[in-house]
Amino acid sequence: MYDKSYLYSDIEIERPGDLKYREVPGAIRGIRSMQTGVSAYRQPKELIFKKQAVLMADYEDSYECEPEKFQLFPTYSSLTDRELRGYFTWRTRYRKGAFPRSNPTFLLLYTFEIINGVGFDTPEEGHRKLVELRARYRAHYPDAFRLYDRWLTHFVVYYRLPPELLPHSVDRDYDENLIRLINSGDYSDEELGEALCGGQEETLDPRIAGRAFRIIKESYRSHRKTEFMDDIFGTIKWSTAKLFASAVFCDDAKPRTYDYQVSELCKYRCVDGRWKVYEYERKFLKNIELKDLLETIRAEIDGSKPDAAPIHTGWMLKCIRKAIQEVRKEREFEERTRVEINPDNLDSIRKAAGEIREKLLTDEERGLDIVSLQTVEAPETPADTGESEETDETSVLTKEEKILLAALLDEGDKDIDGLKMSGFNINLLCDSINEKLYDRFFDIVIEISDNPSLIEDYIDDIRQLI
């Protein structure tokens, strides 16, 4: 029966695993009182956590206990008394220079303390603590550091640290790739393809992907009102930003207004405590439009069925197929004109190159006395009749071209191999000879192929020329 003389009051219900009241240190009992009662319901958990962290900034303990399960958003309130004492014990040892065994929950909780401005005197010191924590524990507990690069970026922006402290994060790599795609004229097809894939499609041919992107982009400029970049990555604009997303963070700083430039394509702006970010709407991760484009390029390269390609727009498919044909033709030409040197044949290569060099030497280089030779047998100079002499077509040919003609006449494969080993492109030499002798024969004299040969009708005339 209800007894009016008995005074009823609220009592805390002990959770499983909690210590008895007398076993809980006074400091922990103090912060526990902050998370109960009417006032606690009127405050966000981030503010309660920060107040508790400030009170426990210098607290030390000695009690071994690890959390029973991994928590993504750990706070003092979410841990039991045993787990909380275990955390403060780990933090005490870590701050004293030890490298104690840890777990993702403790690492995240310590990170949340730092990003809330607890545990350091200057922002530079806080940044150093974050970097050191990642360097020591990321290899052992990668789950705790999935978003660390982004949090480090936000830490530099929020506390207005020098840009040199910005981490080399995935977001910055994305911005660098976007800059390449915007300024596509300054980069090669391979570089554009690597930027377009963004490290996601490592097996896709970057040269074909880059050429396809270049052709489609130019087609957009010629036939459409919008830019190709806008269709793939959206427009670049200001949008609301939340710093330290997926972390327990309380932004209780005084209202302030300033801009912070992270990269050429990313800027943060704080206006009276409200944050905005200037960047592209869609980047690389989870970009459906970009994924469809890359899958279509892959399907066209592999020759898959039409239904396998996500994009069925006719003009875009033509651009992709054009890129594939162009790159394949270029590679076929590069393969034909490529010179390969076998290290096992270096002796024969040196010998052939020496013979070619000997044939290219002038008389002065051989040390011969030209004047004395001319005085022994001086041919009579024909009288000038006033008629113009016939032009010697061979005078316009270089020494290498003459050697090539002689080799083709006598089937001197050795001399041709020597020219190749000396760095000369045989097909280019043949083109040059055909062009220089065209005024005499009004036709080409060498049929160019993998094994060039003289045209039979002109063999006798060429033999007289050289």
Side-chain angles (χ1 to χ4, degrees):
M1 186 175 178
Y2 179 71
D3 187 359
K4 295 183 179 181
S5 63
Y6 186 80
L7 181 61
Y8 293 90
S9 62
D10 295 334
I11 61 171
E12 184 176 358
I13 300 176
E14 293 186 1
R15 295 177 293 180
D18 276 0
L19 299 173
K20 293 183 179 180
Y21 185 81
R22 62 178 178 274
E23 297 176 351
V24 179
I28 294 181
R29 291 202 303 268
I31 62 172
R32 288 298 191 203
S33 64
M34 299 174 62
Q35 65 195 43
T36 59
V38 178
S39 61
Y41 298 130
R42 296 175 178 175
Q43 302 179 72
K45 69 173 185 179
E46 293 82 4
L47 179 59
I48 295 176
F49 171 73
K50 185 167 186 177
K51 291 179 178 180
Q52 291 175 325
V54 171
L55 291 176
M56 304 297 285
D58 300 323
Y59 178 75
E60 296 183 356
D61 205 337
S62 178
Y63 186 91
E64 296 294 339
C65 183
E66 292 189 3
E68 297 180 357
K69 58 183 179 180
F70 170 58
Q71 298 186 25
L72 279 174
F73 306 98
T75 61
Y76 297 158
S77 303
S78 65
L79 299 182
T80 64
D81 292 338
R82 294 178 185 273
E83 293 171 341
L84 193 56
R85 291 195 65 183
Y87 165 72
F88 288 126
T89 300
W90 170 85
R91 190 183 72 174
T92 300
R93 294 178 180 176
Y94 179 77
R95 285 180 174 178
K96 291 182 178 180
F99 186 22
R101 177 185 173 185
S102 186
N103 57 80
T105 301
F106 287 175
L107 295 173
L108 286 173
L109 186 57
Y110 186 62
T111 300
F112 296 163
E113 289 180 354
I114 296 176
I115 65 177
N116 279 280
V118 177
F120 57 85
D121 296 326
T122 63
E124 289 79 6
E125 182 184 355
H127 181 272
R128 178 180 57 80
K129 287 179 177 290
L130 289 174
V131 173
E132 288 180 354
L133 186 70
R134 181 180 61 175
R136 289 188 176 186
Y137 286 99
R138 180 167 60 175
H140 303 284
Y141 307 100
D143 291 341
F145 298 94
R146 291 183 301 105
L147 301 175
Y148 227 70
D149 284 337
R150 186 166 298 175
W151 290 344
L152 278 172
T153 299
H154 291 172
F155 190 90
V156 173
V157 172
Y158 184 80
Y159 291 99
R160 304 180 71 173
L161 295 176
E164 293 77 16
L165 296 180
L166 287 168
H168 189 80
S169 61
V170 175
D171 290 335
R172 295 188 70 182
D173 289 339
Y174 289 164
D175 289 344
E176 292 175 3
N177 289 335
L178 283 171
I179 292 173
R180 283 189 185 184
L181 298 177
I182 293 172
N183 304 315
S184 56
D186 300 334
Y187 298 93
S188 65
D189 292 334
E190 288 82 357
E191 291 172 327
L192 287 181
E194 292 171 357
L196 190 68
C197 295
Q200 302 178 66
E201 294 287 345
E202 297 181 357
T203 59
L204 187 62
D205 190 323
R207 186 170 177 180
I208 294 178
R211 182 68 61 84
F213 173 83
R214 196 188 301 277
I215 295 175
I216 294 174
K217 186 177 179 181
E218 291 300 324
S219 180
Y220 258 75
R221 289 181 177 176
S222 303
H223 303 94
R224 298 175 68 104
K225 296 181 180 180
T226 59
E227 289 287 338
F228 183 48
M229 291 291 294
D230 294 344
D231 278 0
I232 295 295
F233 298 100
T235 57
I236 185 168
K237 63 179 183 179
W238 289 101
S239 58
T240 303
K242 181 180 180 181
L243 267 60
F244 301 106
S246 300
V248 180
F249 173 69
C250 176
D251 185 5
D252 60 350
K254 294 181 179 180
R256 49 189 176 159
T257 300
Y258 68 93
D259 289 353
Y260 196 101
Q261 189 85 31
V262 174
S263 68
E264 186 176 339
L265 299 179
C266 181
K267 179 193 296 185
Y268 285 89
R269 172 172 293 174
C270 181
V271 180
D272 294 332
R274 293 185 297 274
W275 288 93
K276 293 183 178 181
V277 61
Y278 182 73
E279 60 182 359
Y280 272 96
E281 293 178 276
R282 301 184 297 273
K283 290 195 176 181
F284 290 84
L285 291 178
K286 300 180 180 179
N287 190 326
I288 304 300
E289 290 77 6
L290 177 60
K291 183 179 178 181
D292 289 346
L293 174 63
L294 297 178
E295 289 184 358
T296 302
I297 295 175
R298 181 188 299 281
E300 290 295 328
I301 293 175
D302 298 339
S304 304
K305 296 180 180 180
D307 295 340
I311 297 177
H312 301 283
T313 307
W315 70 267
M316 189 173 292
L317 292 176
K318 289 182 180 179
C319 293
I320 296 173
R321 291 164 185 167
K322 180 181 178 182
I324 295 173
Q325 293 175 358
E326 289 181 356
V327 172
R328 286 177 175 172
K329 287 182 179 179
E330 291 172 1
R331 284 177 173 163
E332 290 176 0
F333 177 78
E334 292 169 359
E335 186 67 24
R336 290 199 306 268
T337 58
R338 183 174 60 186
V339 177
E340 295 183 356
I341 299 178
N342 188 347
D344 297 335
N345 299 330
L346 287 179
D347 291 338
S348 60
I349 292 173
R350 294 190 186 97
K351 184 177 179 180
E355 294 176 359
I356 295 296
R357 178 180 178 278
E358 181 66 23
K359 293 181 180 180
L360 294 177
L361 288 176
T362 63
D363 291 339
E364 289 81 357
E365 292 172 335
R366 292 192 179 92
L368 298 178
D369 189 356
I370 303 301
V371 177
S372 62
L373 291 175
Q374 290 178 347
T375 55
V376 173
E377 290 187 25
E380 295 182 1
T381 305
D384 187 4
T385 60
E387 297 179 359
S388 61
E389 298 182 354
E390 182 180 355
T391 303
D392 183 10
E393 286 83 355
T394 60
S395 62
V396 298
L397 298 177
T398 64
K399 296 175 183 178
E400 297 80 12
E401 293 167 349
K402 292 178 181 179
I403 292 174
L404 177 59
L405 280 176
L408 293 175
L409 283 170
D410 301 330
E411 296 183 356
D413 294 337
K414 190 174 182 180
D415 291 341
I416 294 177
D417 292 338
L419 286 172
K420 290 180 179 179
M421 297 309 110
S422 299
F424 295 101
N425 188 306
I426 301 302
N427 287 340
L428 293 180
L429 288 176
C430 293
D431 283 335
S432 178
I433 293 172
N434 284 335
E435 182 179 354
K436 292 177 180 179
L437 297 183
Y438 185 82
D439 292 338
R440 177 181 176 86
F441 295 96
F442 299 101
D443 194 3
I444 60 172
V445 297
I446 301 176
E447 184 176 354
I448 301 176
S449 63
D450 293 338
N451 296 311
S453 60
L454 291 171
I455 295 179
E456 187 176 356
D457 295 342
Y458 306 124
I459 290 179
D460 294 336
D461 293 334
I462 293 175
R463 193 180 299 277
Q464 293 177 2
L465 282 178
I466 63 173

